[in-house]
Amino acid sequence: MSATHRPWRSVLYIPGSKERALEKARGLDVDAIIFDLEDAVAPGEKANARETLAAALRVGGYGSRAQLVRMNGMDTPWGGEDLETVMDAGPQAILLPKVGAATDVASIAARLDAHPGCAETRIWAMMETTRGVFNAAEIAQAPRMGGFIIGTNDLAAELGCETGGDRMPLMMALQTCLAAARMGGIPCVDGVFNAFKDEDGLRAECEQGRALGMDGKTLIHPAQVAICNEVFSPSQAQVDTARRQIEAFEAAEAQGQGVAVLDGKIVENLHVATARKVLARAGGAS
Ligand SMILES: CC(C)(COP(=O)(O)OP(=O)(O)OC[C@H]1O[C@@H](n2cnc3c(N)ncnc32)[C@H](O)[C@@H]1OP(=O)(O)O)[C@@H](O)C(=O)NCCC(=O)NCCSC(=O)C[C@H](O)C(=O)O
Ligand SMILES: [Mg+2]
């Protein structure tokens, strides 16, 4: 399944050091998993997490859920070894933290190019620094670029802004990253909601992310999955309309027409593209 034609509603972080959580994720109804070696793992646990995660990836069992491995930055004591270990696992995607420029991605892409097991590996960028936000357009076009994950905690910390509520102080960064992702034709997944026991707060933030145009939300706890899937899934009426739009357009095309009419409204190429995204978002991935 291509990145643009698969759902990215629920993207769950799992600490690479936690065997129990790595096991549990095999049965969770999430669209994607981020196996984390970075912030979810304490400095003293980094080496252990690397090995625990490599073993879990060898065993597999994560079904059709998309799999991303978040490594530590190359400017940290752990990044180099993370990259070696992760490349040997031939991952679907590597998630780079704190990406500031397209060159950060290009240098990892060059390493992947030289590794025989990583021909298909994509690179995703954590968009969580002010430099990254201002370079978002070029990062979205970087080699092997698979998608953006917004890191609202790091962004808020660097900006020095207040978090919570309507996220107004983050809005410029969220929208800039989203627009850059759209320009590059890649998915953009919203940041985490830290208060994982606050269901109403999570729902409100998911709804806001959906209204902004985000493809889904990153999560930190299994209890957040159901609400997130519900909010980011299209309604049955939206799915039905999307199906009918595609059918109507294909029928019109077969008769040499470039435009169809459905329920008194025109259906053009761009509506069909949106309809296909609706259907992609409707599909689960377990
Ligand atoms: C937040 C937690 C530390 C809570 O852990 P815990 O108290 O152990 O939770 P529970 O006892 O309620 O767990 C119940 C069961 O669920 C499993 N579990 C918990 N979390 C996960 C998970 N993330 N994935 C899969 N499974 C999970 C437990 O193992 C229990 O299972 P069982 O025993 O079978 O019932 C914890 O949830 C946690 O560590 N979450 C992840 C935190 C994390 O990844 N943080 C880093 C990512 S966020 C980030 O970095 C943001 C970004 O960079 C930015 O800048 O914004
Ligand atoms: Mg972060």
Side-chain angles (χ1 to χ4, degrees):
M1 218 181 317
S2 78
T4 41
H5 289 107
R6 68 172 306 139
W8 294 100
R9 299 165 306 173
S10 48
V11 180
L12 178 67
Y13 284 99
I14 305 179
S17 53
K18 290 194 180 170
E19 282 184 55
R20 188 96 189 104
L22 289 165
E23 172 57 34
K24 194 173 181 82
R26 295 187 171 102
L28 294 174
D29 183 22
V30 292
D31 291 333
I33 295 169
I34 297 174
F35 298 105
D36 195 17
L37 296 173
E38 201 218 15
D39 285 352
V41 178
E45 277 294 299
K46 296 286 187 190
N48 168 46
R50 216 178 276 136
E51 296 318 313
T52 303
L53 176 57
L57 293 177
R58 272 195 299 276
V59 172
Y62 294 102
S64 58
R65 300 165 188 84
Q67 297 169 42
L68 289 69
V69 180
R70 183 166 75 167
M71 54 179 278
N72 288 280
M74 291 303 277
D75 56 349
T76 70
W78 313 286
E81 275 189 72
D82 282 357
L83 183 60
E84 290 299 333
T85 305
V86 171
M87 285 196 302
D88 287 344
Q92 291 174 12
I94 292 178
L95 175 59
L96 291 184
K98 303 179 180 66
V99 172
T103 48
D104 297 347
V105 179
S107 62
I108 300 295
R111 296 283 299 274
L112 296 177
D113 290 346
H115 197 289
C118 295
E120 304 295 327
T121 302
R122 309 289 298 224
I123 301 172
W124 282 58
M126 287 297 306
M127 301 301 290
E128 54 183 351
T129 66
T130 50
R131 185 162 167 254
V133 171
F134 278 100
N135 289 328
E138 63 162 46
I139 295 169
Q141 318 270 350
R144 289 183 184 246
M145 179 47 56
F148 282 176
I149 303 280
I150 312 287
T152 38
N153 284 303
D154 272 305
L155 262 176
E158 191 184 333
L159 288 168
C161 71
E162 290 178 11
T163 55
D166 61 6
R167 298 199 294 176
M168 234 278 288
L170 290 174
M171 214 36 76
M172 172 269 184
L174 295 176
Q175 291 182 301
T176 301
C177 292
L178 186 60
R182 293 293 171 255
M183 194 165 75
I186 55 171
C188 185
V189 181
D190 204 352
V192 295
F193 184 71
N194 294 339
F196 62 91
K197 293 184 179 166
D198 175 0
E199 295 188 354
D200 292 342
L202 173 66
R203 183 177 291 278
E205 205 169 279
C206 286
E207 286 172 352
Q208 184 195 47
R210 184 190 61 192
L212 285 169
M214 295 286 173
D215 291 282
K217 194 160 181 67
T218 42
L219 308 173
I220 51 173
H221 192 279
Q224 297 182 307
V225 174
I227 288 173
C228 184
N229 281 343
E230 183 198 324
V231 173
F232 281 98
S233 294
S235 67
Q236 192 55 50
Q238 288 171 314
V239 170
D240 291 343
T241 301
R243 286 218 176 90
R244 291 172 60 234
Q245 283 179 318
I246 293 168
E247 282 165 14
F249 188 79
E250 286 176 350
E253 253 190 336
Q255 295 185 347
Q257 310 289 321
V259 178
V261 177
L262 180 72
D263 302 337
K265 294 179 200 154
I266 59 161
V267 180
E268 299 175 357
N269 253 328
L270 70 110
H271 302 112
V272 172
T274 304
R276 290 195 196 287
K277 281 186 197 155
V278 168
L279 295 188
R281 190 174 273 186
S286 54

